[in-house]
Amino acid sequence: MRLFSTLTLAGLSILGCHAMSSMELTKNMKIGWSLGNTLDANCADTLDYSKDQTASETCWGNVKTTEGLFTALMKDGFDTFRIPTTWDGHFGEGPDYKIDSAWMKRVHEVVDYAYKNGAYVILNIHHEKWNYAFANNLEKAKTILVAIWKQIAAEFADYDEHLIFEGLNEPRKVGDPVEWTGGDSEGWDFVNQMNELFVKTIRGCSGENAKRHLMIPTYAATTQDSAINAFKLPSGDNNLIVSLHAYTPYNFALNNADGAVTTFDNPSELDSLFNLIKTKFISQNIPVIIGEFGAMSRENDAERAKWAEYYTKGAKAIGVPCVIWDNGVFEGTGERFGLIDRTTFEIKAPEVVNSLMKGIGSTGPVTSTKEETSASPQGNETNANAPPMDANANADANANNNNAPVDLPPKSLPNELPAEVPTEIPATDNNNNNTPSTSLPPKTLPNNDNDNNNNMPAQPALPAPPVQPEKPTEQQDSPAPSGDYLSCPKDDWNCKQSMADKCYKEVDGCWTSQGDASKCEDIVKNCNKIWQN
C-alpha cells in the first residue's frame, strides 16, 4: 500500500467507503502473498473435525498462523494477503449448511491479523469437493455457495474495501480430461453461472457488501484462450475483478517433471501473458488480479530473481497486482514455493523477494492506507476481541514448527501420503507456442477419488538453526522439557499429535531463548522420532 496524502484521505472521508472502483483499487495495490497450505488444508479423511475444527490449519505441515507473520511481511513490502480457506468439513448439513463457529472465529482472527494492520485481504473458498464444475452438480453447488457466502458476508459485513471476497478457487471439472486444458462448454457454463450467483448473493447482503470488491475467476482461473473467450463478466457492477492464476513460464515456474528448466532466459511467454491480459481485460476497463503466481525453488535463486523482477515489472506496467504463492515448503522433491519461515519470520529467498519488490519499484516497508479509526470495524464481537499485534500472541502458535522435519503429516497414515505428480503433460495453449498451460496450479493431482486435497507439502530436510529475528515483543523464556515424547502407542495418532505439539513448542522456546544450538537440534531430532515410533 502507499501513503495517502492528506487531501486524498479527506476526499475519502467525504465520499465514504468504496469511493473507488475496482480498477482504481487494483492500481493502489502493490504486491501480495498467499498463506498457502494452511487454512486451505483439508484433512477430513485423517482428522476428526468434531474434536477440533481448527486442527486442520496445521495438518499439512505449517505452523499455526500468528499476527507477527503478516506484520513481518508488511515490513518486507507486501501490502495484500490472500488467505485461501477451505470450508468443506467445517459446515453442517443442508438446508442451512451452518459453518462451525470455532472455524469461523479462527478464520476471522487470521483475517484480522492483516486487515487491522491496514493491509488488503482476499478471502476465498478453496479446496471444496461440492463445487466441481459438472452440469449435474450445478443446482446443489448453487445452494451451498449461497449458504456459505451469506454467512461469510454477514461475519464481515462492516469491513471496508480492504477486504475482498473471491467467490471460487480454480473451479473446474475435477478428474475430467479437460480439467486443466481450458475446459469445455459444460465447465464454462457452470463457472459463469456460479460467478453470477456469487455476485448476486454478496450484493444482497447487509453492510459494506453491497459495494464490496469481488474477485471472480475464469474456468480453473486459467489464461488459456478457450476459457477466457468463454468467460462472462456480470454486467452493471463496477466492483468486480477477474481472478487469474499464471505460473509462467510453465517449465521454469511449475513443471516438476520432464522438460523442467532451471534458467529464465526467454521471457516471451510472460510477454504473451501480459499482452493477453491487457487486450482481453485491461483495455476494456476490466480489472485483473493475478491471484496466484510463483516459480518453485530448484536451487536457482539467481534465476528466480531475474524472473521475479521481469514478472512483477510487466504486470505493474499493465496495472495488474500479483499475489505470490507460498506453501511453506523449502526442501524435498515436491513443490518448493516457500519464501518465509513462518516461525522466525526470516525470508529464506531474499534475492527473490527483493526482485519482486524491485519490479514494482517498491522500497521500504508498507504503511497502512486506512485511517486510524477504520482499522477495526465496530459492532463485530469477534473483531473487537481480536488479539493484539504480537508475534507470540498464541501460546501454542509454533506447536508444529515448520522448520522441523516430519516423516508423516500429523495424524495421517503412511498409506495416505499424496499422489505423485502426474507424468501426463497438460494440453497446449494457442498463445504459448506449444508450451503447456501457464496457469496450472502448484498442486499434485490425485490418482483416486477426485479429491481436491492435493497439495500436501513434501517433507523438509533438517534445517540449520534459524536466525533469531527482531521481535515486536519481549521473548518468552524457554519452556522446560515436558515428558517422554516417544511414549505414545504406535497407532495412537491423537497422542502423537499432542506430544508433537509439546515437543515443537519446546523447540520454539529453545530457539527464541537463544539457547544452546546443539540442545535445540537434539530436541528437533526427538520431535521427528514421534511419527517414526
Side-chain angles (χ1 to χ4, degrees):
M1 296 175 203
R2 63 188 184 190
L3 289 171
F4 277 11
S5 67
T6 303
L7 182 60
T8 304
L9 285 174
L12 286 179
S13 247
I14 295 171
L15 293 175
C17 293
H18 303 290
M20 62 183 71
S21 68
S22 288
M23 183 64 82
E24 294 168 325
L25 180 83
T26 54
K27 289 179 180 178
N28 285 338
M29 299 167 75
K30 292 172 60 176
I31 189 168
W33 178 89
S34 278
L35 183 70
N37 285 24
T38 309
L39 296 184
D40 56 317
N42 188 335
C43 296
D45 293 336
T46 56
L47 286 179
D48 184 352
Y49 282 19
S50 67
K51 293 182 178 179
D52 183 1
Q53 280 280 327
T54 65
S56 60
E57 179 178 353
T58 57
C59 73
W60 280 359
N62 281 312
V63 299
K64 187 174 181 180
T65 308
T66 61
E67 186 168 3
L69 173 63
F70 295 97
T71 55
L73 284 163
M74 290 181 73
K75 290 178 182 178
D76 289 314
F78 294 95
D79 74 332
T80 301
F81 297 99
R82 184 170 180 254
I83 301 178
T85 303
T86 295
W87 303 87
D88 206 353
H90 297 289
F91 60 81
E93 298 295 328
D96 295 333
Y97 300 103
K98 182 174 175 55
I99 297 171
D100 181 86
S101 59
W103 183 245
M104 181 69 90
K105 180 180 179 181
R106 179 56 184 156
V107 172
H108 199 136
E109 287 174 346
V110 175
V111 167
D112 278 343
Y113 291 160
Y115 177 88
K116 75 175 187 174
N117 284 295
Y120 293 105
V121 179
I122 300 169
L123 180 62
N124 77 350
I125 60 176
H126 209 77
H127 293 303
E128 313 294 330
K129 296 180 180 179
W130 51 266
N131 61 359
Y132 294 169
F134 297 94
N136 61 7
N137 185 46
L138 180 59
E139 292 309 312
K140 181 178 180 181
K142 282 183 172 181
T143 301
I144 298 176
L145 178 132
V146 170
I148 297 303
W149 273 115
K150 277 187 175 180
Q151 294 174 75
I152 299 171
E155 181 75 10
F156 297 98
D158 296 330
Y159 281 48
D160 67 14
E161 72 274 6
H162 287 78
L163 179 61
I164 301 164
F165 290 159
E166 180 183 22
L168 299 165
N169 174 71
E170 296 175 351
R172 61 195 189 277
K173 297 174 68 172
V174 175
D176 191 270
V178 302
E179 180 177 3
W180 296 118
T181 61
D184 57 16
S185 58
E186 179 184 37
W188 304 329
D189 181 65
F190 182 100
V191 173
N192 286 330
Q193 288 199 48
M194 291 285 277
N195 281 340
E196 185 175 11
L197 181 60
F198 163 66
V199 173
K200 181 179 179 181
T201 299
I202 301 301
R203 294 294 178 248
C205 293
S206 63
E208 299 295 323
N209 292 303
K211 294 185 179 180
R212 187 172 307 285
H213 298 280
L214 305 176
M215 290 172 63
I216 55 176
T218 59
Y219 173 92
T222 184
T223 60
Q224 294 177 81
D225 276 351
S226 57
I228 286 184
N229 291 335
F231 175 78
K232 294 180 180 179
L233 185 76
S235 60
D237 196 315
N238 290 326
N239 285 356
L240 302 181
I241 303 167
V242 177
S243 174
L244 300 175
H245 296 177
Y247 294 83
T248 310
Y250 171 76
N251 285 327
F252 176 78
L254 183 62
N255 187 8
N256 209 13
D258 293 341
V261 298
T262 60
T263 57
F264 176 67
D265 51 17
N266 185 356
S268 61
E269 287 186 50
L270 282 178
D271 294 338
S272 296
L273 171 69
F274 298 138
N275 183 63
L276 175 69
I277 294 173
K278 182 178 180 180
T279 301
K280 296 290 187 178
F281 298 114
I282 304 302
S283 65
Q284 299 182 46
N285 203 37
I286 300 172
V288 171
I289 291 177
I290 296 180
E292 286 187 20
F293 80 114
M296 74 170 69
S297 174
R298 309 177 197 272
E299 297 184 356
N300 62 336
D301 277 7
E303 292 296 314
R304 288 206 296 159
K306 288 165 52 180
W307 163 88
E309 182 179 353
Y310 196 94
Y311 200 120
T312 56
K313 185 176 182 179
K316 180 178 174 61
I318 61 172
V320 174
C322 304
V323 184
I324 193 82
W325 178 259
D326 185 338
N327 61 2
V329 178
F330 302 95
E331 304 288 345
T333 59
E335 294 163 343
R336 302 166 297 280
F337 284 96
L339 290 175
I340 185 171
D341 185 307
R342 300 185 189 182
T343 300
T344 66
F345 311 142
E346 175 192 3
I347 296 294
K348 306 295 285 186
E351 194 173 359
V352 177
V353 172
N354 287 340
S355 293
L356 291 172
M357 300 303 162
K358 186 177 179 182
I360 61 172
S362 175
T363 57
V366 170
T367 304
S368 172
T369 64
K370 292 200 289 187
E371 295 182 85
E372 193 73 22
T373 56
S374 66
S376 297
Q378 299 302 312
N380 187 299
E381 182 177 350
T382 306
N383 185 68
N385 295 325
M389 183 173 67
D390 182 358
N392 298 314
N394 299 300
D396 62 346
N398 299 311
N400 290 325
N401 189 310
N402 66 324
N403 273 337
V406 293
D407 293 290
L408 293 175
K411 291 191 183 179
S412 65
L413 303 179
N415 61 358
E416 292 176 319
L417 291 175
E420 295 295 323
V421 178
T423 57
E424 182 179 349
I425 300 297
T428 59
D429 184 333
N430 293 338
N431 279 339
N432 288 328
N433 302 320
N434 292 327
T435 56
S437 164
T438 62
S439 58
L440 291 176
K443 308 168 184 69
T444 55
L445 303 183
N447 293 331
N448 41 30
D449 59 358
N450 296 338
D451 188 355
N452 250 6
N453 176 11
N454 50 19
N455 62 346
M456 191 83 73
Q459 304 309 316
L462 183 67
V467 176
Q468 174 63 25
E470 185 178 356
K471 298 278 186 175
T473 57
E474 293 184 3
Q475 297 171 347
Q476 298 178 352
D477 294 334
S478 175
S482 51
D484 182 3
Y485 298 129
L486 307 180
S487 61
C488 296
K490 181 178 180 180
D491 295 325
D492 191 340
W493 304 102
N494 289 331
C495 175
K496 289 185 177 184
Q497 179 67 61
S498 176
M499 289 299 182
D501 288 350
K502 294 177 182 178
C503 190
Y504 290 133
K505 183 176 180 181
E506 184 176 351
V507 171
D508 179 62
C510 183
W511 290 127
T512 57
S513 65
Q514 297 184 336
D516 179 63
S518 60
K519 177 184 175 183
C520 297
E521 290 173 352
D522 287 342
I523 301 173
V524 170
K525 291 176 182 178
N526 281 332
C527 296
N528 298 340
K529 292 177 182 178
I530 294 173
W531 301 103
Q532 300 172 6
N533 181 30

